[in-house]
Every structure is written in structure tokens, then in C-alpha cells.
Amino acid sequence: MRAVRYTGVGAAAEVTELVDIADPVPAEDEVLVRVGAVGLNPVDVKIRAAGSDFGPIEYSTLPGWDLAGEVVATGAAVASLEVGDAVFGLARFPRAAHTLAELVAVPAADLAKAPTSWKVEQQGGAPLAVLTAWHAFEAAGLVGDAAGKRVLVLGGAGGVGHLAVQVAKARGAHVIATASAAKHPTLADLGADETVDYRDDAALAAIEPVDVVLSTVDDGVPPLGAIREGTAVITITGFPDGAVEALRAAGATGLDRIMVSADGAALAEVAALADAGRLTVLVDRAFPLEEVVAAQERVESGRVTGKVVVTLP
Ligand SMILES: NC(=O)c1ccc[n+]([C@@H]2O[C@H](COP(=O)([O-])OP(=O)(O)OC[C@H]3O[C@@H](n4cnc5c(N)ncnc54)[C@H](OP(=O)(O)O)[C@@H]3O)[C@@H](O)[C@H]2O)c1
């Protein structure tokens, strides 16, 4: 089968190649998936640039974690999926998973049946990003009915952010999202109640206190005016020096940096929301496998709206 491989640590154009390697064989609790689309995430390009020094996430020269595709074989112990099922998932994360390939062996527990209302690009693009939002809101206690809660998403237009906006909205929250002004109409279409330009200090300072903050922005810190006693603040990127102390002094709780993990059960709930018409995935751009270098460079631009996806025939 064809697969993407990194020849070493470096720039995408220098170290990315397409290779022919042996087909994977699923273990007892795994299924073999013929891959149709793979979401490309910042972690894919950061780990390529950093190599095995990249914290707790396992480095492999064979990259990729997101996938959507069709089950073509099942391990003996798999009862939840059958050959022919359309599935999507975040495979093995934070262990290596090698999903940027024509075939991938994935633990059945990491997969769910894909929402039929989404195109395969959306199915493949969603898992890591939507599970990050899902797990962050769990950490913040924003689960179940969140009617009456105010939620601030820093970085509302990115892969994680645009899904976080919709998940919070689907739970009934009042959602405020930061993004550059050109992206405000898109965020309003996704359900954001208020949009704030992150370059406009006065607008940031005018955000009234919220119950939950999710920061998806590198070194993102919410404006202190948005914090009151008990505001749960979660980051997926880390806080800059001194920010935690200032936020705690303003009353913030939590202040954790969470890390997403594979979670097929949560993806089944995501699929139900999608097929109920309450969650969509914006595809910034889909690239064929042969253009995986350009796809990585698009992610590295930091300017995407929604998800960058790699498609396979
Ligand atoms: N801890 C975890 O488990 C976990 C999981 C997923 C992702 N992450 C990390 O979280 C970060 C975001 O991931 P992602 O996939 O959402 O990235 P992404 O899709 O590449 O995010 C790009 C978006 O960020 C927006 N943006 C940039 N600077 C901003 C700012 N100061 N304020 C508001 N928006 C801003 C950009 O909007 P403009 O073009 O308008 O600037 C763009 O729409 C990455 O660092 C990633 O590695 C961590």
C-alpha cells in the first residue's frame, strides 16, 4: 500500500515522501480500514518538525492520526463493526497510528460509525479536533444541558475552535468566539452569539464574564474582564508565564492544559449530533495524497478556517 513517510526531521518539502510498504494486519481487537480521508492537524506538522522530542506524543516516521474510511476486515474479537461499515476515528492517540496511508489497522474502540450526513472529507477531518473540544468541555464541566451558561472560545475559526463553538451551542450555551473580523460571518453561521476580533483590545475588554473559557490559541489568555469567581478556564496549548496566577487571582478555576485521546464512544455521540443537523465540519481545503506537502504547509500557515484534509482514492 502507499503511505506517507517522514525521512527525518525538517521542513515538509524536504522530509515528506510517498512510499510503498506492507499492508497492516489487524490484531484481534482491531479492524482494517481502507482510508478515504485524513484530517491533518497541527500536531502532525509539529511532530515532523520536532521529531522524538515532542513531549508525551509518540513520534513515528509514518504520520497521521485522524481517519475516515470503510472497514475491509475485522479482528476475531470485534463485535461492534462489520466489513463495509463507514467509520471515522482518532486512532491510538497519543500513540503513533500511521493513518496517512491507504490501509490502517485501528482498535475498534477508537472508531465510530461515520455520520451519513457528512462527506468523507468532513468525517476524516473531524475526529482529533472535535474530541479535543469534547474533552476540554468535560474538563470544564460543560456537559449535558448547558442552557444559560456563557462560553468563550479563543480561536473560534480553527479546526478545534469551529467545532467547540458548535458543541457548546448544541448544549444550549451562549457562545462568544474570537477570530479575525473576516471570519465573523462564518462563525455567526455556525451559531456563535457574539464574535470578537482578537486584534481589537477594546472589544476584548468589553466581553462580560463567562462560565467557561476554552483557549485554542497558542499562548492564548482570556481578557480578565471575562473572568469571575468560578469561571472554568481550560487550554489546549498552555498558558504563557504569569497568566495562571493572574487568572487565578481573578477567580478562575481549572486552568488545566488538557490533551485529547482516542475515544470512539464520544465520536458516536458526535455522529448523532451531526446527523441531527447540529454539527458540521468546515473543510478549509482538501488535498489529494500526492499533495500532502502542500497540505502540511497549509496547516503551518496558522490561518485555516476549519480543517485541512488529505483525501485518498
Ligand atoms: N492539547 C490537545 O490535545 C490539542 C488538540 C488539538 C490541538 N491542539 C493545539 O491547539 C492549537 C489549535 O489547534 P487547531 O487545530 O484548532 O489549529 P488551527 O486550525 O491551525 O487554528 C488556526 C486558526 O487559529 C486562528 N487564530 C490564530 N491566532 C489567533 C488568535 N490570537 N486569536 C484567535 N484566533 C486565532 C486563525 O484565525 P485567523 O486566520 O483569523 O488568525 C485560524 O482560524 C494548536 O496549537 C494545536 O497544536 C492541542
Side-chain angles (χ1 to χ4, degrees):
M1 67 162 186
R2 284 188 308 161
V4 175
R5 185 167 70 187
Y6 298 151
T7 56
V9 168
E14 286 162 13
V15 303
T16 307
E17 64 176 12
L18 277 179
V19 288
D20 281 311
I21 57 172
D23 293 358
V25 177
E28 276 213 325
D29 61 342
E30 295 179 355
V31 299
L32 189 66
V33 180
R34 183 170 298 288
V35 178
V38 176
L40 211 53
N41 293 287
V43 65
D44 290 292
V45 296
K46 289 179 183 177
I47 207 164
R48 189 210 66 232
S52 46
D53 293 337
F54 198 71
I57 299 165
E58 186 184 5
Y59 174 76
S60 168
T61 55
L62 299 172
W65 279 283
D66 275 336
L67 79 150
E70 183 184 332
V71 174
V72 291
T74 59
V78 174
S80 56
L81 295 170
E82 294 175 359
V83 170
D85 282 344
V87 292
F88 73 143
L90 168 62
R92 302 182 197 276
F93 198 84
R95 293 190 297 122
H98 320 151
T99 64
L100 270 165
E102 288 174 327
L103 291 166
V104 56
V106 188
D110 295 354
L111 298 170
K113 290 185 184 160
T116 54
S117 55
W118 283 359
K119 294 181 180 154
V120 70
E121 292 87 350
Q122 296 174 298
Q123 296 165 355
L128 186 144
V130 76
L131 286 175
T132 303
W134 205 267
H135 292 166
F137 286 146
E138 273 174 7
L142 193 90
V143 290
D145 183 3
K149 298 261 171 147
R150 290 168 54 82
V151 176
L152 171 60
V153 179
L154 300 181
V160 176
H162 88 292
L163 288 158
V165 164
Q166 296 175 78
V167 169
K169 196 68 204 161
R171 292 180 180 165
H174 177 94
V175 180
I176 305 155
T178 67
S180 53
K183 299 184 177 181
H184 289 187
T186 302
L187 282 171
D189 285 348
L190 294 176
D193 297 286
E194 299 175 43
T195 46
V196 178
D197 185 349
Y198 62 81
R199 298 184 179 99
D200 182 343
D201 288 337
L204 287 170
I207 298 174
E208 292 186 8
V210 299
D211 300 290
V212 171
V213 178
L214 169 56
S215 175
T216 77
V217 174
D218 289 336
D219 280 343
V221 181
L224 290 179
I227 307 300
R228 63 178 166 222
E229 201 60 41
T231 300
V233 181
I234 299 293
T235 178
I236 60 169
T237 59
F239 292 114
D241 288 348
V244 168
E245 293 73 13
L247 290 165
R248 191 170 284 133
T253 61
L255 296 165
D256 297 318
R257 176 181 184 170
I258 66 112
M259 191 167 83
V260 67
S261 55
D263 187 347
L267 286 177
E269 294 186 56
V270 166
L273 268 185
D275 283 338
R278 300 171 75 194
L279 190 57
T280 193
V281 181
L282 298 180
V283 176
D284 177 85
R285 192 163 158 202
F287 295 83
L289 186 63
E290 295 72 19
E291 294 177 25
V292 67
V293 169
Q296 292 176 72
E297 290 169 350
R298 179 66 188 146
V299 172
E300 286 173 322
S301 76
R303 298 276 82 86
V304 308
T305 303
K307 292 298 308 175
V308 172
V309 178
V310 174
T311 56
L312 292 92

Coordinates of all heavy atoms in Angstrom, one line a residue, residues 178-217:
T178 N -13.6 34.3 19.5 CA -12.7 35.3 19.0 C -12.2 34.8 17.6 O -12.0 33.6 17.5 CB -11.5 35.6 19.9 OG1 -10.7 34.4 20.0 CG2 -12.0 36.1 21.3
A179 N -12.0 35.7 16.7 CA -11.4 35.4 15.4 C -11.1 36.7 14.7 O -11.6 37.7 15.1 CB -12.5 34.6 14.5
S180 N -10.4 36.6 13.6 CA -10.2 37.9 12.9 C -11.5 38.2 12.2 O -12.3 37.4 11.9 CB -9.1 37.7 11.8 OG -9.3 36.6 11.0
A181 N -11.7 39.6 12.0 CA -13.0 40.1 11.6 C -13.6 39.4 10.4 O -14.8 39.2 10.3 CB -12.9 41.6 11.4
A182 N -12.7 39.1 9.4 CA -13.2 38.5 8.2 C -13.9 37.2 8.4 O -14.7 36.7 7.6 CB -12.0 38.3 7.2
K183 N -13.6 36.5 9.5 CA -14.2 35.2 9.8 C -15.5 35.3 10.6 O -16.1 34.2 10.9 CB -13.2 34.3 10.4 CG -12.0 34.1 9.5 CD -10.9 33.1 10.1 CE -9.8 32.9 9.0 NZ -8.8 31.9 9.5
H184 N -15.9 36.5 11.0 CA -17.0 36.6 11.9 C -18.3 36.1 11.3 O -19.1 35.4 11.9 CB -17.2 38.0 12.4 CG -16.1 38.4 13.4 ND1 -16.1 39.6 14.1 CD2 -15.0 37.8 13.8 CE1 -15.1 39.7 14.9 NE2 -14.4 38.6 14.7
P185 N -18.6 36.4 10.0 CA -19.8 35.9 9.4 C -19.9 34.3 9.4 O -20.9 33.7 9.7 CB -19.8 36.4 8.0 CG -18.9 37.6 8.0 CD -17.9 37.3 9.1
T186 N -18.7 33.7 9.2 CA -18.7 32.2 9.2 C -19.0 31.7 10.6 O -19.8 30.8 10.8 CB -17.3 31.7 8.8 OG1 -17.0 32.2 7.5 CG2 -17.2 30.2 8.8
L187 N -18.5 32.4 11.6 CA -18.8 31.9 13.0 C -20.2 32.2 13.4 O -20.8 31.4 14.1 CB -17.8 32.6 14.0 CG -16.4 32.0 14.0 CD1 -15.5 32.9 14.8 CD2 -16.5 30.6 14.5
A188 N -20.8 33.3 12.9 CA -22.2 33.5 13.1 C -23.0 32.4 12.5 O -24.0 31.9 13.1 CB -22.6 34.9 12.6
D189 N -22.7 32.0 11.3 CA -23.4 30.9 10.6 C -23.3 29.6 11.4 O -24.3 28.8 11.4 CB -22.8 30.6 9.2 CG -23.2 31.7 8.2 OD1 -24.1 32.5 8.5 OD2 -22.6 31.7 7.1
L190 N -22.2 29.4 12.1 CA -22.0 28.2 12.9 C -22.8 28.3 14.2 O -22.8 27.3 15.0 CB -20.6 27.9 13.2 CG -19.7 27.5 11.9 CD1 -18.3 27.4 12.3 CD2 -20.3 26.3 11.3
G191 N -23.3 29.5 14.5 CA -24.1 29.6 15.8 C -23.6 30.5 16.8 O -24.2 30.6 17.9
A192 N -22.4 31.1 16.6 CA -21.8 31.9 17.6 C -22.7 33.1 17.9 O -23.2 33.7 17.0 CB -20.4 32.4 17.2
D193 N -23.0 33.4 19.2 CA -23.9 34.5 19.5 C -23.2 35.8 19.5 O -23.8 36.9 19.2 CB -24.4 34.3 20.9 CG -25.3 33.0 21.0 OD1 -26.4 33.0 20.5 OD2 -24.8 32.0 21.6
E194 N -21.9 35.8 19.8 CA -21.1 37.1 19.7 C -19.7 36.7 19.1 O -19.2 35.6 19.4 CB -20.8 37.6 21.1 CG -22.1 38.0 21.9 CD -21.7 38.5 23.3 OE1 -20.8 39.2 23.5 OE2 -22.4 38.1 24.2
T195 N -19.2 37.6 18.3 CA -17.9 37.4 17.7 C -17.0 38.6 18.0 O -17.5 39.7 18.0 CB -18.0 37.2 16.2 OG1 -18.8 38.2 15.6 CG2 -18.5 35.8 15.8
V196 N -15.8 38.3 18.4 CA -14.9 39.4 18.8 C -13.6 39.3 18.1 O -13.0 38.2 18.0 CB -14.6 39.3 20.3 CG1 -13.7 40.4 20.8 CG2 -16.0 39.4 21.1
D197 N -13.1 40.4 17.5 CA -11.9 40.5 16.8 C -10.7 40.4 17.8 O -10.6 41.3 18.7 CB -11.8 41.8 15.9 CG -10.6 41.8 15.1 OD1 -9.6 41.0 15.3 OD2 -10.5 42.7 14.2
Y198 N -9.9 39.4 17.7 CA -8.8 39.3 18.7 C -7.8 40.4 18.6 O -6.9 40.5 19.5 CB -8.2 37.9 18.7 CG -7.5 37.5 17.4 CD1 -6.2 37.9 17.1 CD2 -8.1 36.7 16.4 CE1 -5.6 37.5 15.9 CE2 -7.5 36.3 15.3 CZ -6.2 36.7 15.0 OH -5.6 36.3 13.9
R199 N -7.8 41.2 17.5 CA -6.9 42.3 17.4 C -7.4 43.6 18.0 O -6.8 44.6 18.0 CB -6.5 42.5 16.0 CG -5.8 41.3 15.3 CD -5.4 41.6 13.9 NE -4.7 40.5 13.3 CZ -5.3 39.6 12.5 NH1 -6.6 39.7 12.2 NH2 -4.6 38.6 12.0
D200 N -8.7 43.5 18.5 CA -9.4 44.7 19.0 C -9.4 44.7 20.5 O -10.3 44.1 21.1 CB -10.8 44.8 18.4 CG -11.6 46.0 18.8 OD1 -11.2 46.7 19.8 OD2 -12.6 46.2 18.1
D201 N -8.5 45.4 21.1 CA -8.3 45.3 22.6 C -9.6 45.8 23.3 O -10.0 45.2 24.4 CB -7.1 46.1 23.1 CG -5.8 45.4 22.7 OD1 -5.8 44.2 22.5 OD2 -4.8 46.1 22.6
A202 N -10.2 46.8 22.8 CA -11.4 47.4 23.4 C -12.5 46.4 23.4 O -13.3 46.2 24.4 CB -11.8 48.7 22.8
A203 N -12.7 45.7 22.3 CA -13.8 44.7 22.1 C -13.5 43.5 23.1 O -14.4 43.0 23.7 CB -13.9 44.2 20.7
L204 N -12.2 43.1 23.2 CA -11.9 42.0 24.1 C -12.2 42.4 25.5 O -12.7 41.6 26.3 CB -10.4 41.7 24.0 CG -9.9 40.9 22.7 CD1 -8.4 40.9 22.6 CD2 -10.5 39.5 22.7
A205 N -11.8 43.6 25.9 CA -12.0 44.1 27.3 C -13.5 44.2 27.6 O -13.9 44.2 28.8 CB -11.3 45.4 27.5
A206 N -14.3 44.3 26.6 CA -15.8 44.5 26.8 C -16.5 43.2 27.0 O -17.7 43.2 27.3 CB -16.4 45.3 25.7
I207 N -15.8 42.1 26.8 CA -16.5 40.8 27.0 C -16.9 40.6 28.4 O -16.1 40.7 29.4 CB -15.6 39.6 26.6 CG1 -15.2 39.7 25.1 CG2 -16.3 38.2 26.8 CD1 -14.2 38.7 24.6
E208 N -18.2 40.4 28.6 CA -18.7 40.2 30.0 C -18.4 38.8 30.6 O -18.1 37.9 29.8 CB -20.2 40.5 30.0 CG -20.4 42.0 29.7 CD -21.9 42.4 29.9 OE1 -22.7 41.6 30.3 OE2 -22.1 43.6 29.5
P209 N -18.4 38.7 31.9 CA -17.9 37.4 32.5 C -18.6 36.2 32.0 O -19.8 36.2 31.7 CB -18.2 37.6 34.0 CG -18.1 39.1 34.2 CD -18.7 39.7 32.9
V210 N -17.9 35.1 31.8 CA -18.4 33.9 31.3 C -18.2 32.7 32.3 O -17.5 32.9 33.3 CB -17.7 33.5 30.0 CG1 -17.9 34.5 28.9 CG2 -16.2 33.2 30.2
D211 N -18.9 31.6 32.1 CA -18.7 30.4 32.9 C -17.6 29.6 32.5 O -17.0 28.9 33.4 CB -20.1 29.6 32.9 CG -21.2 30.5 33.3 OD1 -21.3 30.7 34.6 OD2 -22.0 30.9 32.5
V212 N -17.3 29.5 31.2 CA -16.3 28.6 30.7 C -15.5 29.3 29.6 O -16.0 30.0 28.8 CB -16.9 27.3 30.1 CG1 -15.9 26.5 29.4 CG2 -17.6 26.5 31.1
V213 N -14.1 29.1 29.7 CA -13.3 29.6 28.6 C -12.5 28.4 28.1 O -12.0 27.6 28.9 CB -12.2 30.6 29.1 CG1 -11.3 31.0 28.0 CG2 -12.9 31.8 29.8
L214 N -12.5 28.3 26.8 CA -11.6 27.3 26.1 C -10.6 28.1 25.2 O -11.1 28.7 24.3 CB -12.4 26.3 25.3 CG -11.6 25.4 24.3 CD1 -10.6 24.6 25.1 CD2 -12.5 24.5 23.6
S215 N -9.4 28.0 25.5 CA -8.3 28.6 24.7 C -7.7 27.6 23.7 O -7.1 26.6 24.2 CB -7.2 29.2 25.5 OG -6.2 29.7 24.6
T216 N -7.9 27.9 22.4 CA -7.3 27.0 21.4 C -6.1 27.7 20.7 O -5.6 27.2 19.7 CB -8.3 26.6 20.3 OG1 -8.6 27.7 19.5 CG2 -9.6 26.2 21.0
V217 N -5.8 28.9 21.2 CA -4.8 29.7 20.6 C -3.4 29.6 21.3 O -3.4 29.5 22.5 CB -5.2 31.2 20.7 CG1 -4.2 32.1 20.1 CG2 -6.5 31.4 19.9

